[in-house]
Amino acid sequence: MAEVLVLVDHVDGEVKKVTAELLTAARRIGEPAAVWVGDGSDGAKASLAEYGAEKVYTAPAELNDYVVAPKAELLAKLVEQTSAAAVLVSATTEGKEVAGRTAVKLGSGVLTDVVDVTAELVAEHSIFGGATITHSKVRTGTPVIAVRPNAIPAEPAEGAAAIEEVSVEMSDAAKSAKVVERVQQEQSDRPELTEAAIVVSGGRGVGSDDFSVVESLADSLGAAVGASRAAVDSGWYPNQFQVGQTGKTVSPNLYIALGISGAIQHRAGMQTSKNIVAVNKDPEAPLLEISDFAVIGDLHKVTPQLTEEIEKR
Ligand code: FAD
């Protein structure tokens, strides 16, 4: 059975949940082989076997000091060495760039914002606010598939991964952009937005930079906080929390939108959420078309009551 390469998404050696989801998807296609770039303990690498990694390729940690290009070069070289059936990466901003560059190097095709993938390498995409499902398949070469976090449930497997060191000669082109500084974004005890099981987002309807109504509900649910672009552009909430076409893509089990109209650009970032709840004073707000539940009313009255009820439980 051919290998399926999975690029491990980790922050300073801590593996992100999406990696388990990618390994689960890879098991349907062939033998999952993880690709680890950067520093990380042997224990963290071996733990990938819990989700079916049969092998972990580890490249020199210095590759992490360059922007994106070395990862694409590494994946393309591994595909050539192993005749891999597919490459899976997470559909994050960086993951999508790695996917595109890798596909160019391989002369193959790239599929992004994928929400499911079959053993036959048919990828499913959810578009137009979740109203349309499309299926696509790469027709030439090894497909490079970028899968959205939270789209495919992670299922544990049994096994023990062998860790294999890979030495990679980087081309000069791969070394053209070096990371000179990493700036830690604002730290919070809340879950990471793209990985959270529940997201509570606030929009222009919040009305000011006092986002405490959104944050309190989020904290009562152990959720991440998101924001619409209108809220971010107004300076009410930091840019890193924007959900949508030009922000983050989320796919949680539950997405609660407070005072968000549901413009297509916002939907693009949250339409694959499993359950959508809208609180809006306008019964005609477009977001209601894709919501499972809606509360029509003033969010400043509805939300504190909701938070209070949840805190009682
Ligand atoms: P509005 O559209 O103004 O909606 C506010 C909503 O709050 C209304 O439905 C109103 O009924 C409701 N409301 C008001 N007061 C209350 C209250 N007290 N209680 C309950 N409800 C209330 N947008 C994004 O979000 N993410 C993106 O990534 C993004 N990218 C974009 C990219 C491009 C190229 C462009 C052109 C636009 C992009 N936008 C994006 C902007 C998008 O088009 C919308 O302008 C934006 O999403 C609107 O945000 P909003 O829903 O918070 O505000």
Side-chain angles (χ1 to χ4, degrees):
M1 206 188 276
E3 285 184 6
V4 179
L5 301 175
V6 169
L7 182 62
V8 177
D9 204 338
H10 69 93
V11 179
D12 298 334
E14 199 174 312
V15 181
K16 293 179 93 181
K17 189 159 73 72
V18 66
T19 303
E21 297 162 7
L22 297 176
L23 289 169
T24 303
R27 288 195 332 252
R28 302 173 188 164
I29 303 163
E31 287 178 4
V35 180
W36 187 298
V37 177
D39 286 324
S41 68
D42 283 352
K45 290 170 192 161
S47 72
L48 298 168
E50 289 166 26
Y51 288 90
E54 301 198 5
K55 194 185 281 176
V56 184
Y57 293 110
T58 64
E62 58 144 345
L63 286 187
N64 216 26
D65 293 341
Y66 297 90
V67 179
V68 188
K71 288 183 180 165
E73 194 162 300
L74 170 67
L75 287 170
K77 282 187 174 162
L78 284 172
V79 168
E80 277 157 18
Q81 278 172 27
T82 65
S83 304
V87 177
L88 302 186
V89 303
S90 65
T92 55
T93 308
E94 182 184 285
K96 286 194 262 192
E97 190 176 343
V98 171
R101 286 172 181 256
T102 307
V104 168
K105 286 183 182 301
L106 293 170
S108 66
V110 60
L111 304 173
T112 62
D113 286 321
V114 167
V115 294
D116 207 358
V117 60
T118 69
E120 292 74 37
L121 290 164
V122 176
E124 182 174 306
H125 312 254
S126 166
I127 60 168
F128 297 135
T132 304
I133 302 286
T134 61
H135 294 100
S136 54
K137 186 166 182 173
V138 169
R139 296 180 62 194
T140 309
T142 302
V144 185
I145 301 175
V147 182
R148 281 191 180 175
N150 278 330
I152 298 175
E155 286 163 18
E158 280 180 17
I163 297 170
E164 193 168 306
E165 298 287 339
V166 190
S167 93
V168 189
E169 284 291 317
M170 272 191 293
S171 71
D172 286 344
K175 291 190 223 165
S176 58
K178 191 162 199 256
V179 176
V180 289
E181 188 186 7
R182 291 181 204 272
V183 180
Q184 194 78 32
Q185 289 192 313
E186 204 175 297
Q187 288 292 296
S188 133
D189 292 337
R190 299 191 183 99
E192 208 268 313
L193 183 55
T194 57
E195 301 244 303
I198 306 177
V199 174
V200 181
S201 288
R204 204 195 305 272
V206 173
S208 76
D209 65 357
D210 180 2
F211 248 55
S212 57
V213 69
V214 183
E215 292 181 328
S216 299
L217 178 58
D219 291 341
S220 73
L221 292 163
V225 173
S228 73
R229 178 157 159 185
V232 168
D233 284 354
S234 303
W236 298 347
Y237 219 65
N239 172 272
Q240 76 207 59
F241 299 104
Q242 182 179 315
V243 172
Q245 184 185 314
T246 42
K248 300 257 167 72
T249 300
V250 300
S251 200
N253 288 330
L254 175 61
Y255 186 85
I256 304 180
L258 305 175
I260 295 178
S261 61
I264 190 72
Q265 296 90 352
H266 187 78
R267 291 184 187 200
M270 47 65 71
Q271 68 200 12
T272 51
S273 303
K274 316 286 180 304
N275 297 287
I276 298 171
V277 175
V279 178
N280 201 302
K281 64 182 184 186
D282 176 8
E284 305 288 322
L287 191 66
L288 271 56
E289 292 163 17
I290 59 161
S291 298
D292 299 279
F293 300 97
V295 182
I296 308 302
D298 182 347
L299 73 90
H300 291 288
K301 292 193 179 133
V302 173
T303 316
Q305 292 175 44
L306 189 56
T307 307
E308 200 184 315
E309 277 305 312
I310 292 164
E311 280 172 351
K312 277 189 207 157
R313 289 169 196 215

